[in-house]
Amino acid sequence: LTGVPSGRYTVTATLANYAFRPSSRAVLVEGAAWTGVDFEAIAQTFSISGVVRDYDGNRLQGVHVTAGGQGAVTTDAGLYTISGLVAGTYQVTAAKTGYYLEFAGDSDTVTVPPSSTGVDFVGYVSFATTFPAGVNLIGVPCYPASSDPLDVFDASQVSAVARWNPS
């Protein structure tokens, strides 16, 4: 800084979402300019947490949840916490082999600070396989909204259903 009158001052550094070491410094100014009053800036970190459940509300263990290059794996109670995130906006994703996972809220984008809780996901069992050429499979939802195949499938395709057992 320049143009500071001679005297004793306490200098404090501030910036949103940062802490400084030391928190302040005593400075004696003799003359109009001074240098060498340094601070170490330490970014504050925040977290994102939530729970992952299956369609029936059971908690899912072993789901990989990521945000901003950081990640966590859900506990046996379906809980996760991603820590060490600096202030910013993050897209949160979840993945587990054999499941299709979708965000349970309004948006999969979360802004910290403050730390965010309740960033939940719902998992649906996903089946995948390959078939020889010429063999086709019609996917049936795990929980069809109706027991009538005409409601579940396009009416023009019902004749192609080899077997229907909604129970």
Side-chain angles (χ1 to χ4, degrees):
L1 294 174
T2 59
V4 177
S6 296
R8 294 188 182 278
Y9 296 91
T10 299
V11 179
T12 304
T14 61
L15 180 63
N17 303 313
Y18 284 86
F20 291 89
R21 194 175 330 170
S23 59
S24 64
R25 296 188 72 142
V27 176
L28 174 61
V29 176
E30 295 176 338
W34 49 282
T35 61
V37 182
D38 298 324
F39 293 88
E40 178 185 4
I42 303 159
Q44 293 176 336
T45 59
F46 305 94
S47 64
I48 296 172
S49 62
V51 64
V52 181
R53 294 181 172 89
D54 68 11
Y55 181 81
D56 290 325
N58 302 309
R59 294 175 181 225
L60 289 176
Q61 177 183 10
V63 177
H64 296 269
V65 184
T66 60
Q70 303 280 82
V73 178
T74 58
T75 65
D76 57 352
L79 302 172
Y80 76 91
T81 299
I82 301 170
S83 301
L85 300 169
V86 297
T89 300
Y90 298 93
Q91 181 175 13
V92 185
T93 60
K96 179 178 172 111
T97 301
Y99 285 86
Y100 166 73
L101 290 133
E102 67 181 26
F103 190 70
D106 295 332
S107 171
D108 62 353
T109 302
V110 176
T111 300
V112 294
S115 291
S116 188
T117 61
V119 183
D120 301 338
F121 289 85
V122 177
Y124 300 91
V125 175
S126 174
F127 299 99
T129 190
T130 57
F131 295 95
V135 176
N136 297 312
L137 173 72
I138 296 175
V140 179
C142 294
Y143 296 95
S146 170
S147 62
D148 183 354
L150 294 174
D151 290 340
V152 177
F153 298 101
D154 180 351
S156 65
Q157 300 296 318
V158 172
S159 63
V161 176
R163 184 176 84 185
W164 175 256
N165 182 358
S167 56

